Amino acid sequence: MKGWKITAPSTVSEQEIVETADSSALSKVKITKALITLSDVLSFKGEIESNNVVLGRAGIGIVAEAGANLFGLEKGQYVYVEAHKSCAECYNCKSGLSKCSNMQIAGEDYDGFLRDFVSSPPEKLFVLPESVPKLDALFIKDISLAIAVVDKLGIQKGDYVAIVGANDFGNILAQLLIYYQAVPIVMTINEEDYKIAKDSGIYYVLGQEDNWNKEVMAITSGRLTKSVVYISDCNIPIAKAFALASHNASVAFTGTSYKNNAVSFSQAIKKQLNILCINGGFENTAASINLLANKAINLSHLKLDTSTYDAVPATLNKMSEMLDSDGKIYQTVVDLI
């Protein structure tokens, strides 16, 4: 097996990958599509801490060797590969508790999906129904995180939810809220994200020229919102999120990257806001696949770039330059066959 591994800041090289686990207990998957995300680019640039691993936070593929399993896996099936595993070192893991307190992420803590094959425990592989487009399956991790946001904020039917940031994840979260019959109000400073949100059927979308506080006050009949979600890589001052929250409201910080942000908590303290930091949602994979199978979320409007396996180094350099010049990238789908 081989893949594109970080070897130095802004450098990847194709290297052989040696499996350390007992291969007889694993199923082998030929990766067909992987996704290069903002987190991958930040790791490539050395701006967020990561190990020298194969990049790629999301991947799907075809079962090449099913191995002995109790999950009905068969050779030739398309599967989504869960992008996390327990650390086996924390107190929870060693005590046999159900949830690892230091979950390991593919493409950050261990080898990701920009490689030809992955060996995985069968329980980490989810068969994709024919009704789920292969491209959409790359966003299962994002949908799972969006479900976690809804659950942890306790959002109910009819609730207004302010979403600060309209990137791909913000768009997915807003669509999920609509599916649950809540009312998202999406804020963005990017004209293209504004248009994509509108095309995706999101009714309340506020752009850079709008007075966000005034508009949200009008939409909520002067109440503001009891739930605000700030998307970590939206490039919008965090103070905007606090301003949209009503007294004693909850503000959730989340997103698919760990981009650093400067923050002052003066408004949050004054309003006695509840601050939540939400990551993961790993337990929601099956629910996310069902949402895609039932067409609850439409990803056709998202703007994605494409690349090939051989072009990964050039693609990462291009995305890095775009991030430096524009402050934004388009997630890139890598076709490996």
Side-chain angles (χ1 to χ4, degrees):
M1 293 187 288
K2 58 184 180 179
W4 292 108
K5 182 173 289 191
I6 297 175
T7 53
S10 299
T11 304
V12 292
S13 64
E14 188 180 44
Q15 296 191 358
E16 291 294 326
I17 301 167
V18 179
E19 296 287 352
T20 56
D22 178 10
S23 60
S24 64
L26 304 176
S27 296
K28 193 172 184 179
V29 177
K30 171 68 177 98
I31 298 299
T32 58
K33 290 183 184 296
L35 190 68
I36 301 178
T37 67
L38 175 61
S39 288
D40 293 311
V41 177
L42 293 174
S43 293
F44 172 72
K45 289 165 62 66
E47 293 185 10
I48 60 174
E49 184 178 352
S50 64
N51 296 320
N52 291 340
V53 297
V54 173
L55 291 173
R57 262 62 168 185
I60 63 168
I62 300 171
V63 176
E65 298 175 14
N69 68 85
L70 301 175
F71 301 90
L73 291 175
E74 299 177 1
K75 183 177 180 178
Q77 289 177 319
Y78 263 100
V79 292
Y80 169 77
V81 186
E82 281 204 332
H84 74 280
K85 65 181 181 181
S86 299
C87 73
E89 297 293 334
C90 69
Y91 175 82
N92 286 0
C93 287
K94 290 185 175 182
S95 302
L97 300 177
S98 60
K99 193 166 186 179
C100 173
S101 61
N102 185 30
M103 197 68 75
Q104 306 293 287
I105 307 299
E108 179 180 336
D109 302 302
Y110 66 97
D111 289 333
F113 299 103
L114 289 176
R115 51 171 158 161
D116 51 2
F117 287 94
V118 167
S119 293
S120 171
E123 64 270 20
K124 294 291 186 182
L125 304 179
F126 287 76
V127 177
L128 295 172
E130 291 186 3
S131 58
V132 174
K134 303 301 183 292
L135 193 65
D136 290 5
L138 291 172
F139 291 89
I140 288 171
K141 183 171 177 285
D142 292 16
I143 298 169
S144 296
L145 176 57
I147 295 172
V149 171
V150 173
D151 288 345
K152 291 185 179 181
L153 284 173
I155 295 168
Q156 303 295 317
K157 177 180 177 181
D159 284 352
Y160 291 98
V161 182
I163 301 175
V164 182
N167 59 6
D168 293 347
F169 176 72
N171 186 296
I172 288 169
L173 175 60
Q175 290 193 53
L176 182 68
L177 288 167
I178 292 170
Y179 179 76
Y180 288 151
Q181 300 183 51
V183 185
I185 308 170
V186 177
M187 268 69 63
T188 180
I189 58 174
N190 183 279
E191 291 183 7
E192 190 166 46
D193 287 345
Y194 179 96
K195 183 179 184 303
I196 291 171
K198 281 292 189 181
D199 290 344
S200 299
I202 302 166
Y203 185 76
Y204 292 119
V205 185
L206 305 179
Q208 189 167 10
E209 302 303 318
D210 293 312
N211 184 319
W212 293 357
N213 283 67
K214 182 178 178 180
E215 294 292 338
V216 171
M217 290 278 282
I219 293 167
T220 62
S221 300
R223 293 171 292 176
L224 293 175
T225 59
K226 70 175 186 178
S227 295
V228 179
V229 181
Y230 181 87
I231 310 301
S232 61
D233 48 18
C234 66
N235 297 321
I236 297 171
I238 291 174
K240 295 281 190 180
F242 294 152
L244 297 168
S246 61
H247 195 77
N248 287 325
S250 294
V251 178
F253 291 87
T254 189
T256 56
S257 78
Y258 302 135
K259 186 175 179 181
N260 290 325
N261 294 282
V263 56
S264 167
F265 287 101
S266 58
Q267 285 190 77
I269 295 169
K270 184 176 181 180
K271 289 185 172 183
Q272 299 188 69
L273 302 179
N274 303 302
I275 306 298
L276 301 173
C277 296
I278 303 175
N279 185 26
F282 306 116
E283 67 279 6
N284 299 323
T285 298
S288 299
I289 293 173
N290 286 334
L291 286 167
L292 288 174
N294 291 320
K295 311 300 180 186
I297 296 174
N298 179 8
L299 303 179
S300 64
H301 299 292
L302 301 186
K303 184 170 181 179
L304 305 170
D305 281 339
T306 59
S307 183
T308 63
Y309 176 82
D310 291 338
V312 163
T315 298
L316 285 167
N317 279 304
K318 176 184 174 183
M319 295 174 76
S320 178
E321 292 170 2
M322 182 179 295
L323 185 61
D324 289 339
S325 62
D326 301 337
K328 178 179 174 63
I329 62 167
Y330 300 112
Q331 298 192 95
T332 299
V333 178
V334 179
D335 290 312
L336 284 88
I337 58 171

